[in-house]
Amino acid sequence: MAAVTAPKQDRSRATRQRLLEAAVSCLAEHGWAGSTVAVVAERAGVSRGAAQHHFPTREDLFTAAVEYVAEERSHALRDLPSRDRYEAVAALVDLFTGPLFRAALHLWVAASGEDQLRARVTELEARVGRESHRIAVEVLGADESRPGVRETVQGLLDMARGLGLATLLTDDRARRDRVVAQWARLLDGALA
């Protein structure tokens, strides 16, 4: 029986993973209004019934997708190797300008108008914010026992989020590169 159960569990995990990845892709490309369970199921290559077996409601699916986005962002932050200040700042900013951030942003907007989704997204984003800050401190080699360092790191993350918002409308890579270079210089002084 164990031999039969393991492949079934593996298939179930693989289906769930495909659904989460498809949900993130759909949100990033089509926003909340264009991301239905049926669209996600089709992209994942599974039936709508299979999708609803894993995620009974649309909110369940996209809340799980938010968690997936958060975990992916955290893993990406954790996997940043030690770098010079410019490379660290650029890598942190890149996390807020890619498809994972775009998907999370669509969920934030949807949650602002849907109470049930808002509670889930707010709690998760608070947890993700704390984790992102903690990892940024590590990547930057910041000593938060020094006055102003915590606020400086948070300012960097807030600035990165703002650059991510700007990227939704235009490709402003040249301006973003200049801003990243300036923040790296500022951080060298503030964190030294």
Side-chain angles (χ1 to χ4, degrees):
M1 181 70 175
V4 173
T5 304
K8 185 176 181 181
Q9 288 174 343
D10 291 345
R11 284 193 309 272
S12 181
R13 274 193 291 275
T15 298
R16 181 179 172 84
Q17 181 71 21
R18 284 197 321 270
L19 285 164
L20 292 173
E21 290 173 359
V24 170
S25 295
C26 286
L27 275 173
E29 292 174 26
H30 307 296
W32 178 253
S35 298
T36 64
V37 174
V39 168
V40 171
E42 183 178 331
R43 177 167 292 192
V46 302
S47 69
R48 183 182 169 123
Q52 289 182 310
H53 168 75
H54 287 277
F55 305 102
T57 68
R58 182 179 188 211
E59 288 77 16
D60 291 336
L61 172 61
F62 289 104
T63 299
V66 170
E67 291 183 65
Y68 175 75
V69 167
E71 288 172 16
E72 288 295 304
R73 283 177 23 196
S74 293
H75 288 305
L77 280 168
R78 270 191 219 100
D79 292 343
L80 291 174
S82 296
R83 304 164 181 226
D84 73 17
R85 191 80 68 206
Y86 175 83
E87 290 173 339
V89 171
L92 288 164
V93 168
D94 284 348
L95 294 173
F96 290 94
T97 56
L100 291 176
F101 176 74
R102 183 180 294 262
L105 182 60
H106 284 296
L107 281 168
W108 295 347
V109 171
S112 71
E114 295 188 24
D115 291 338
Q116 186 178 32
L117 190 58
R118 181 184 305 126
R120 292 177 173 184
V121 172
T122 300
E123 184 275 324
L124 182 60
E125 281 302 318
R127 193 171 67 230
V128 169
R130 288 188 301 273
E131 179 69 4
S132 297
H133 184 96
R134 187 187 67 71
I135 293 169
V137 166
E138 289 176 20
V139 169
L140 295 168
D143 177 5
E144 285 194 302
S145 68
R146 294 182 49 225
V149 169
R150 179 172 184 70
E151 293 78 12
T152 300
V153 172
Q154 191 58 51
L156 167 64
L157 294 173
D158 291 343
M159 182 272 306
R161 191 174 295 112
L163 290 173
L165 290 171
T167 300
L168 291 174
L169 299 175
T170 62
D171 180 4
D172 65 343
R173 213 166 307 170
R175 183 180 71 84
R176 186 170 65 236
D177 289 345
R178 290 191 306 275
V179 170
V180 166
Q182 179 62 20
W183 264 91
R185 286 189 293 275
L186 292 171
L187 287 172
D188 275 339
L191 303 180

